[in-house]
Amino acid sequence: MTKVLVTGAAGFIGSHVVEALEADGHEVTALDLRWGDDVRDAAVLGRLLPDADVVVHQAAKVGLGVNVADLPDYVSVNAYGTAVLLAAMAAHGVGRLVLASSMVVYGEGAYDCARHGRVRPGPRSAEDMARGSFEPRCPRCGEGVVLAPIGEDAPADPRNAYATTKLAQEHLAANWARETGGTAVALRYHNVYGPRMPKDTPYSGVAAIFRSALEAGRAPRVFEDGGQTRDFVHVRDVADANVAALTGGVPGSLAVYNIASGQPHTVGELARALAEQRGGPEPVTTGEFRLGDVRHIVAVPHRAGAELGFHARIAFAEGMKEFATAPLAEPSRHRSA
């Protein structure tokens, strides 16, 4: 039995992680800002960490946010909060960390150009998207490119405050591991969905936004042309990945893993699947766009299988059938992951 401190334990993903850890026989101590315990509070950590063997760090401000006014909060919760946690872990001799990271650190996904091979397009311009030209092009020749799955060794290219601070968490964890000899594992979640997603909030994922609209009798509003590709992975699979990560990694370093289903779908397919399971209304494709969004990002999840023994079990159709009627959580102003 391992003694595990879970931060963000009352959140969407964190609550499932707690259940999975307890089902696997581990002793869990839960920390969450909703209960008055802040990961940025060294005194709280000093009370909880001496009894822990490992920290599973889920607490975060999530989503793309609304505008640049969110920047200080993202940095405070995600970057500074992680720094306080790692310093406290070092002070109390806790030598293992499982970090909830995200596929957003990659930015745009990987692509192949017929002339130039593997390329990484830069951010799409507002002008292109305003005229309905959503697909990235080769940054060298400007020709069309073909989507390719992205592996963990791809260079990071964060495109928004959330992505930047998640990458900062990884860098801080790597620094902590090198200096203390600790073991750090970062799980780069792809698009997580499932029961207890928060409803009616711009800080949630697209699956929850569509699901909230359908519950209210509104048609899901699909941005761009609905052709954006993602890997939607069920929250219980993500929780299982956290359990598997308890014994992963190498002392003195950070190991990173894509946590994904390996079966990509478009955002339009997601909206249609949820609408079909709930009996409508049908999605509406709006052509609207957000500059912080990327067009396509799908994963190569093989490393997690080979090194952690993790394989997603819940298929898209099965997960959508459950999620279409599963209860959603009331949004928290603290927005833990």
Side-chain angles (χ1 to χ4, degrees), residues 56-277:
V56 175
H57 184 31
Q58 304 290 319
K61 182 180 173 75
V62 300
L64 287 182
V66 177
N67 53 43
V68 293
D70 283 323
L71 287 172
D73 202 17
Y74 274 106
V75 172
S76 176
V77 175
N78 296 355
Y80 178 69
T82 299
V84 173
L85 173 64
L86 292 169
M89 289 174 64
H92 294 282
V94 181
R96 179 173 287 274
L97 172 75
V98 177
L99 171 67
S101 188
S102 172
M103 57 85 178
V104 296
V105 303
Y106 296 120
E108 194 64 65
Y111 297 85
D112 290 325
C113 171
R115 291 177 59 190
H116 298 108
R118 183 60 50 87
V119 294
R120 296 291 302 280
R124 296 173 294 166
S125 71
E127 294 76 15
D128 282 346
M129 292 198 286
R131 60 173 179 263
S133 180
F134 300 119
E135 293 293 338
R137 295 189 172 275
C138 176
R140 297 178 62 184
C141 67
E143 294 298 317
V145 289
V146 178
L147 172 65
I150 199 161
E152 290 89 348
D153 296 328
D157 184 19
R159 302 286 177 89
N160 53 61
Y162 175 59
T164 299
T165 54
K166 294 308 284 186
L167 185 59
Q169 287 183 320
E170 290 192 10
H171 288 320
L172 289 165
N175 180 252
W176 166 83
R178 284 192 301 270
E179 292 196 19
T180 66
T183 302
V185 175
L187 304 179
R188 289 176 176 170
Y189 303 158
H190 284 249
N191 285 65
V192 187
Y193 72 95
R196 301 179 213 149
M197 286 194 90
K199 64 182 178 182
D200 294 325
T201 167
Y203 297 92
S204 192
V206 66
I209 292 170
F210 290 165
R211 174 67 174 74
S212 297
L214 287 163
E215 186 168 293
R218 304 189 306 267
R221 295 177 60 82
V222 180
F223 280 17
E224 301 185 20
D225 59 1
Q228 310 94 301
T229 312
R230 300 289 189 271
D231 188 309
F232 298 100
V233 58
H234 196 280
V235 66
R236 288 197 296 273
D237 283 329
V238 170
D240 289 345
N242 278 269
V243 176
L246 291 183
T247 56
V250 177
S253 66
L254 172 72
V256 298
Y257 298 96
N258 283 326
I259 302 302
S261 72
Q263 301 294 324
H265 293 271
T266 67
V267 171
E269 288 173 334
L270 169 71
R272 289 191 295 273
L274 288 173
E276 180 180 342
Q277 290 295 334

Side-chain angles (χ1 to χ4, degrees), residues 34-59:
R34 303 174 207 214
W35 303 325
D37 292 331
D38 192 339
V39 75
R40 293 166 290 186
D41 188 332
V44 169
L45 295 173
R47 173 169 51 86
L48 300 176
L49 282 170
D51 293 327
D53 301 313
V54 56
V55 173
V56 175
H57 184 31
Q58 304 290 319

Side-chain angles (χ1 to χ4, degrees), residues 303-318:
R303 182 183 291 178
E307 298 183 12
L308 300 180
F310 166 75
H311 302 277
R313 298 176 293 106
I314 301 173
F316 181 79
E318 175 189 354

